[in-house]
């Protein structure tokens, strides 16, 4: 799949540049440029085997990763790069959840104030982040146990979930106790105010 290292790096860097262009042309908050800059950085410095591990993590989250396609040498090699595999899983779980949460947030922003729209989208994001990938994997009947045996259990998903949960609970609490502070925090996060 990724035999040519130069092609792999060009594809990753091109993805970062394209995403950055889309973010600038759609006039989204400039803080979001962190994502394409990160992708561009990965394309320049990441080892292609690390990139493969991220890709396999993303495919595993979609339930279409076939562990039996890897040779024994590849399995041993990727077992040392577990954190890249986990990163791919977390990224894909976030993308899947955002596919539903972002439009809901946009819809709510037109009908309620920005703070409530952000909190509503985040509340929808959290269960989708955890459960949607599991439903997809079940539907695809992926061999998740074999992937876990090779790459280990992903503790990052739990950390991201609880971080987001505590953040959202704090925002809800701040909204109830001090609405002005909550509005400022959401404005800073979304780049709309400050």
């Amino acid at each position: 799949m990724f035999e040519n290292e130069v092609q792999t790096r060009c594809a990753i860097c091109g993805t970062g540049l394209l995403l950055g262009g889309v973010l600038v042309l759609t006039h989204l908050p400039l803080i979001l440029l962190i994502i394409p800059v990160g992708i561009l950085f990965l394309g320049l410095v990441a080892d292609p085997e690390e990139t493969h591990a991220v890709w396999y993590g993303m495919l595993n989250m979609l339930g279409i990763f076939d562990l039996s396609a890897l040779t024994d040498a590849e399995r041993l090699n990727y077992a040392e790069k577990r954190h890249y595999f986990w990163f791919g899983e977390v990224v894909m779980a976030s993308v899947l959840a955002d596919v539903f949460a972002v439009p809901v947030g946009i819809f709510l922003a037109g009908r309620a104030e920005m703070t409530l729209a952000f909190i509503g989208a985040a509340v929808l994001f959290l269960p989708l982040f955890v459960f949607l990938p599991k439903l997809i994997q079940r539907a695809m009947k992926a061999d998740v146990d074999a992937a876990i045996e090779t790459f280990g259990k992903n503790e990052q998903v739990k950390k991201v979930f609880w971080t987001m949960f505590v953040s959202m609970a704090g925002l809800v609490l701040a909204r109830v106790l001090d609405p002005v502070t909550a509005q400022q925090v959401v404005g800073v996060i979304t780049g709309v105010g400050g």
Side-chain angles (χ1 to χ4, degrees):
M1 177 176 6
F2 298 105
E3 291 89 15
N4 189 335
E5 181 177 343
V6 175
Q7 257 183 336
T8 302
R9 290 185 188 278
C10 287
I12 295 169
C13 291
T15 302
L17 291 173
L18 181 65
L19 182 60
V22 167
L23 292 176
V24 168
L25 290 174
T26 56
H27 304 290
L28 292 171
L30 292 179
I31 189 79
L32 294 177
L33 287 177
I34 290 173
I35 298 167
V37 167
I39 293 171
L40 191 61
F41 179 74
L42 285 175
L44 294 174
V45 300
D47 180 27
E49 291 176 353
E50 295 165 353
T51 307
H52 296 171
V54 171
W55 179 247
Y56 293 149
M58 294 171 80
L59 293 177
N60 185 55
M61 192 55 62
L62 291 173
I64 55 176
F65 176 62
D66 185 13
L67 192 63
S68 64
L70 298 178
T71 65
D72 289 336
E74 288 175 324
R75 286 183 194 187
L76 289 173
N77 183 29
Y78 292 131
E80 297 171 4
K81 300 180 181 351
R82 289 183 174 148
H83 50 288
Y84 292 102
F85 183 83
W86 297 338
F87 176 74
E89 285 187 324
V90 169
V91 166
M92 186 52 72
S94 296
V95 168
L96 289 172
D98 284 340
V99 166
F100 296 101
V102 169
V104 167
I106 292 169
F107 174 78
L108 290 174
R111 287 163 179 61
E113 64 180 276
M114 187 60 125
T115 307
L116 293 175
F118 182 78
I119 291 171
V123 167
L124 176 64
F125 173 86
L126 290 174
L128 288 175
F129 178 79
V130 173
F131 297 114
L132 187 60
K134 293 182 185 312
L135 290 172
I136 290 173
Q137 288 173 343
R138 279 221 175 104
M140 299 295 287
K141 295 187 180 14
D143 193 3
V144 178
D145 294 331
I148 287 174
E149 182 181 320
T150 300
F151 292 102
K153 187 121 175 95
N154 187 354
E155 296 298 321
Q156 291 304 106
V157 172
K158 291 179 185 174
K159 290 177 185 175
V160 170
F161 173 80
W162 285 111
T163 301
M164 290 290 291
F165 182 79
V166 168
S167 301
M168 290 305 105
L171 276 174
V172 169
L173 187 60
R175 178 75 183 134
V176 170
L177 298 178
D178 186 13
V180 175
T181 304
Q183 182 69 29
Q184 290 172 343
V185 170
V186 172
V188 169
I189 291 172
T190 59
V192 178

